[in-house]
Amino acid sequence: MTEKPTYEELEKRIQILEKLGSEHQQTANIFTKDRLKYQQLTEAMADVIILISPTGKLLYVSPNVKKFGGYDHEDELGNDMSKYFEKDTDYIRAVELLEKVLKNHDSGSFEFLFKPKNKKPFPVEHTYYPILKNNKVTVIQLILRDITKRKQREIALLESENRIRSVLETMPVLLDAFDENGNIIIWNDECERITGYSADDIIGNANASELLYPDEGYKKFLMDQLAQYGGNFRNLEWDINCKNGTKKTILWSNMSDQFPIPGWHSWAVGIDITDRKHSELKQSKINKRLEEKVEERTAALKDMNTALKVLLDKREKDKKETKKKLFKNYHTLILPFLQKLTNSLKKEDQKILATILESNLQELLESFSEEKLNPFINLSPAELQVANMVKKGLSNKEIALALHKSVRTITNHRDHIRKKLGIINTKINLQSFLLQH
């Protein structure tokens, strides 16, 4: 027979039970607070949280579905998820994903057009993941997010890209781009216009380089340049073969390293400078011909200058010979007779006139020759030697001793000197005259 517990034991058991009850209450309060916080969080979220069964029935819909799509969350319980799909194609896709979730326990997301109750359909992103129990999907949690603004930005970005692409496709500059295997993936309108090859001819064609650069040696030269400069070069001139068999010179620039474009391993822009190169070549030929003409004219002028110099030298020589003859004739044919005439005149006024005549003749000769008339031009070497000694003040005897001549010979030389200088039979001192001239 079991003994009855004492009063103290009963009181102790009651205290234990009260303590356990208090702990359970605290735990319940904590769970209640957490549930309230979770509920407040879900209600404050812009996204809608939905729980569905494996058959697609709505088990829970967060209250903010009212603001999101105009539905009352309490009225949604038990409804099929199909009511939220505007397009049948989107719903069919969702069912297919649901089957994969049940089978493979997949999680993921997809976009569809949401069908609200009180406004126009709008795009949402649907994120899903399964909740498992005993390795079996019991509930699937969905999060619906309004992506209208994101879609608008994507559309705006796509429109901007399309506008840029349209500009690149139609701008009057060649543009090509390559993938990582060296295949051309962009070939704009200007490339088509310049080369004659359409985008269909070039894009995706593994033999495009053979069409554009059929010469193997030249193609190797281009490959070497590309290996050297990579995706960073400006103004490289390359000749490209056109569909009609002609060649065009293109000035290429590649800035792929500085400005990489997603999906393009490398890209470059080019300008057709064929006409400019032809003009430069034509101008070069003109310049070369002009240089040849200048050289020809220079050689002709040089020959002409040489001939002219010969003529001028001959003229100068003739001029000197003429002067020399003129001076000699003056001293031999005119001056002696003029001096005799002057000496034979008796009247003083006649002598003055004769002297003036002699002076005027000398001035005339000097102006004609542009140089001073040399009075010693007709002296012989021996007479010049004697005249130089007289000029220094030597007497006839001293000059005779110095030259080993007789005094009479020196006297005769002095008379000849005076006669040739035009001062014979005058009182003019020979030494003074020589010093003055």
Side-chain angles (χ1 to χ4, degrees), residues 191-205:
C191 289
E192 292 183 333
R193 188 184 72 82
I194 295 298
T195 66
Y197 289 109
S198 67
D200 293 336
D201 294 331
I202 299 300
I203 294 177
N205 185 351

Side-chain angles (χ1 to χ4, degrees), residues 110 159 218 405:
F110 76 98
E159 290 176 350
Y218 190 71
K405 304 288 184 182

Side-chain angles (χ1 to χ4, degrees), residues 77-88:
L77 302 182
N79 290 328
D80 191 85
M81 66 176 184
S82 61
K83 67 178 299 182
Y84 294 148
F85 291 87
E86 174 66 22
K87 295 181 178 180
D88 292 340

Side-chain angles (χ1 to χ4, degrees), residues 34-58:
D34 289 343
R35 183 179 61 79
L36 290 174
K37 287 181 180 178
Y38 181 74
Q39 182 177 348
Q40 290 173 355
L41 178 62
T42 57
E43 291 176 355
M45 289 173 59
D47 300 340
V48 175
I49 298 177
I50 298 175
L51 300 178
I52 64 172
S53 69
T55 60
K57 299 298 181 181
L58 303 177

